[in-house]
Amino acid sequence: MSPIVNIFIFVLVVIPLLIYSAYLIVVMLKNTDSGKKYILFGIQVSLIGGILVLDDNIDFNGYEYSIVILGLILSMVGMSKNK
């Protein structure tokens, strides 16, 4: 892909995703909800990232791996609340 498409993907997809995930983690730690919801949400994000990794027609230049790692982080935060 061209560098302009990479910048476009980074600015419109990756940066908002990271900001939203940081917001979710802060809200999760303050909420009194069950951690099972957050664990399931993290698994869902990991599965979507895994599908993006395995698809040969999609090339996000490694950004899809950050989606998988984000899902794992969300699951770990949910596990820490599941007490």
Side-chain angles (χ1 to χ4, degrees), residues 3-51:
I4 298 209
V5 173
N6 286 339
I7 292 171
F8 181 74
I9 290 172
F10 187 74
V11 169
L12 291 179
V13 175
V14 176
I15 291 176
L17 182 68
L18 292 175
I19 292 171
Y20 183 65
S21 64
Y23 170 75
L24 275 178
I25 290 171
V26 168
V27 168
M28 279 189 223
L29 292 175
K30 289 183 179 181
N31 251 351
T32 59
D33 292 340
S34 172
K36 292 177 186 178
K37 293 179 189 177
Y38 302 121
I39 293 171
L40 291 175
F41 180 65
I43 291 171
Q44 180 182 6
V45 170
S46 296
L47 288 175
I48 290 171
I51 290 170

